[in-house]
Amino acid sequence: MSIMKLTATTAAIALTATTALARDNVQVAGSSTVLPYASIVAEAFGENFDFPAPVVESGGSSAGLKRFCEGVGENTIDIANASRAIREREIAECAENGVTDIIEVRIGYDGIVFASQTGGPAFTAFEPSDIFNALAPQVMVDGELVDNPHTSWSDFNPDLPDAEILAFIPGTKHGTREVFEEKVIAAGCEATGAFDAMMAAGMSEDDAEDACLAVRTDGKSVDIDGDYTETLARIDANTNGIGVFGLAFYENNTDKLKVATMSGVEPTTETIAEGVYPVSRPLFFYIKAAHLGVIPGLQEYADFFVSDEVAGPSGPLAAYGLVSDPELAGTQEAVASNVTMN
């Protein structure tokens, strides 16, 4: 979907002695999930405004926020994209390095899906307990918590294919991993009784929660540190492989991938918008407020990103798969007013 040609007056840049040679483009890094949305916006921004297109890099939510928190100045990035909310320890790290004013921008919602080769085994329906039973280092067998003996999906659920367990999951630096852990692995741990068994064995609640999030290290679960294209390549090369993707990426690769339901719900923009699909999450970007008025186009880019024409339900981001935020008007006001986090 094309974006109507827009015009903008270049804002006056408040230059100081330390920013007299400020670079002329916005620099962004972070989440691979947010990357395609930010890239669409950056390209359209360059076409419609009298500013260079922002430079958008990936690397994962944690890596992007780490770069964001390195300090203030033209040698640091202006925006961090994230598929999870910034953590308290990251806010503290930012503050230690002089990044004290941060603007949080929620751009919409996305779902995490489980997809496999279109011609592969019939992976069409999962429960969180299935993913936990496949990937956890310890699982419940005959009422006992034991080292995971499962090698095939049908070992613990006869409704699943008799196919080798092989899952490609987001690495720990990705925001997607946190949502995957909390809404799938942890939910499966509790549903199977493993969490209660850990507590009954004498673990503290915190230790049991941590243990629930562990994944096996025998090759059945493979961390992917790159973006979704790397996961797709692994799926292409492994008939039995299951991959974790963002909904938008899957929807743009339906010729190669088929998706499974989770808890009986098909992942679609409608089921995510309605809050029915259980594995969904908000997407964000974070603005370094100290760079506003210094880096040309930063305010304009942020305003443009959350505008109705771009992030609304009829905009190009929705066409790509983003679920528009029903509270988008509030976000627009907060961005325009530079409302920072408390």
PDB file of all heavy atoms in Angstrom, residues 14-22 74 294:
ATOM      1  N   ALA A  14      18.608  22.963  17.025  1.00  0.00           N
ATOM      2  CA  ALA A  14      19.287  23.671  18.111  1.00  0.00           C
ATOM      3  C   ALA A  14      20.682  23.096  18.270  1.00  0.00           C
ATOM      4  O   ALA A  14      20.863  22.052  18.867  1.00  0.00           O
ATOM      5  CB  ALA A  14      18.493  23.508  19.407  1.00  0.00           C
ATOM      6  N   LEU A  15      21.638  23.770  17.733  1.00  0.00           N
ATOM      7  CA  LEU A  15      23.001  23.266  17.753  1.00  0.00           C
ATOM      8  C   LEU A  15      23.780  23.880  18.905  1.00  0.00           C
ATOM      9  O   LEU A  15      23.654  25.056  19.210  1.00  0.00           O
ATOM     10  CB  LEU A  15      23.707  23.604  16.434  1.00  0.00           C
ATOM     11  CG  LEU A  15      23.128  22.947  15.175  1.00  0.00           C
ATOM     12  CD1 LEU A  15      23.882  23.430  13.951  1.00  0.00           C
ATOM     13  CD2 LEU A  15      23.181  21.445  15.284  1.00  0.00           C
ATOM     14  N   THR A  16      24.567  23.067  19.537  1.00  0.00           N
ATOM     15  CA  THR A  16      25.471  23.539  20.575  1.00  0.00           C
ATOM     16  C   THR A  16      26.890  23.264  20.120  1.00  0.00           C
ATOM     17  O   THR A  16      27.123  22.680  19.076  1.00  0.00           O
ATOM     18  CB  THR A  16      25.201  22.801  21.900  1.00  0.00           C
ATOM     19  OG1 THR A  16      25.564  21.435  21.728  1.00  0.00           O
ATOM     20  CG2 THR A  16      23.744  22.875  22.297  1.00  0.00           C
ATOM     21  N   ALA A  17      27.845  23.665  20.962  1.00  0.00           N
ATOM     22  CA  ALA A  17      29.247  23.443  20.598  1.00  0.00           C
ATOM     23  C   ALA A  17      29.546  21.966  20.417  1.00  0.00           C
ATOM     24  O   ALA A  17      30.366  21.587  19.578  1.00  0.00           O
ATOM     25  CB  ALA A  17      30.149  24.028  21.686  1.00  0.00           C
ATOM     26  N   THR A  18      28.872  21.117  21.190  1.00  0.00           N
ATOM     27  CA  THR A  18      29.163  19.681  21.105  1.00  0.00           C
ATOM     28  C   THR A  18      28.415  19.003  19.991  1.00  0.00           C
ATOM     29  O   THR A  18      28.722  17.877  19.642  1.00  0.00           O
ATOM     30  CB  THR A  18      28.819  18.988  22.442  1.00  0.00           C
ATOM     31  OG1 THR A  18      27.428  19.223  22.722  1.00  0.00           O
ATOM     32  CG2 THR A  18      29.663  19.518  23.566  1.00  0.00           C
ATOM     33  N   THR A  19      27.399  19.685  19.428  1.00  0.00           N
ATOM     34  CA  THR A  19      26.614  19.046  18.376  1.00  0.00           C
ATOM     35  C   THR A  19      26.640  19.834  17.074  1.00  0.00           C
ATOM     36  O   THR A  19      25.813  19.625  16.202  1.00  0.00           O
ATOM     37  CB  THR A  19      25.151  18.890  18.840  1.00  0.00           C
ATOM     38  OG1 THR A  19      24.618  20.184  19.147  1.00  0.00           O
ATOM     39  CG2 THR A  19      25.053  18.006  20.065  1.00  0.00           C
ATOM     40  N   ALA A  20      27.614  20.709  16.938  1.00  0.00           N
ATOM     41  CA  ALA A  20      27.684  21.542  15.747  1.00  0.00           C
ATOM     42  C   ALA A  20      27.847  20.710  14.486  1.00  0.00           C
ATOM     43  O   ALA A  20      27.440  21.121  13.409  1.00  0.00           O
ATOM     44  CB  ALA A  20      28.830  22.537  15.877  1.00  0.00           C
ATOM     45  N   LEU A  21      28.439  19.544  14.620  1.00  0.00           N
ATOM     46  CA  LEU A  21      28.644  18.675  13.470  1.00  0.00           C
ATOM     47  C   LEU A  21      27.704  17.473  13.537  1.00  0.00           C
ATOM     48  O   LEU A  21      28.045  16.376  13.122  1.00  0.00           O
ATOM     49  CB  LEU A  21      30.101  18.212  13.414  1.00  0.00           C
ATOM     50  CG  LEU A  21      31.143  19.327  13.252  1.00  0.00           C
ATOM     51  CD1 LEU A  21      32.555  18.751  13.284  1.00  0.00           C
ATOM     52  CD2 LEU A  21      30.918  20.097  11.963  1.00  0.00           C
ATOM     53  N   ALA A  22      26.510  17.689  14.090  1.00  0.00           N
ATOM     54  CA  ALA A  22      25.545  16.592  14.227  1.00  0.00           C
ATOM     55  C   ALA A  22      25.293  15.931  12.876  1.00  0.00           C
ATOM     56  O   ALA A  22      25.173  16.609  11.856  1.00  0.00           O
ATOM     57  CB  ALA A  22      24.245  17.124  14.805  1.00  0.00           C
ATOM     58  N   GLU A  74      26.186  12.252  19.026  1.00  0.00           N
ATOM     59  CA  GLU A  74      25.978  11.822  17.645  1.00  0.00           C
ATOM     60  C   GLU A  74      26.609  10.471  17.333  1.00  0.00           C
ATOM     61  O   GLU A  74      26.275   9.837  16.335  1.00  0.00           O
ATOM     62  CB  GLU A  74      26.525  12.875  16.687  1.00  0.00           C
ATOM     63  CG  GLU A  74      28.025  13.085  16.789  1.00  0.00           C
ATOM     64  CD  GLU A  74      28.498  14.124  15.776  1.00  0.00           C
ATOM     65  OE1 GLU A  74      28.550  13.787  14.579  1.00  0.00           O
ATOM     66  OE2 GLU A  74      28.790  15.249  16.193  1.00  0.00           O
ATOM     67  N   VAL A 294      18.243  18.095  17.953  1.00  0.00           N
ATOM     68  CA  VAL A 294      19.667  18.061  17.621  1.00  0.00           C
ATOM     69  C   VAL A 294      19.897  17.221  16.366  1.00  0.00           C
ATOM     70  O   VAL A 294      20.571  17.654  15.439  1.00  0.00           O
ATOM     71  CB  VAL A 294      20.496  17.499  18.802  1.00  0.00           C
ATOM     72  CG1 VAL A 294      21.965  17.366  18.413  1.00  0.00           C
ATOM     73  CG2 VAL A 294      20.341  18.382  20.037  1.00  0.00           C
TER      74      VAL A 294
END
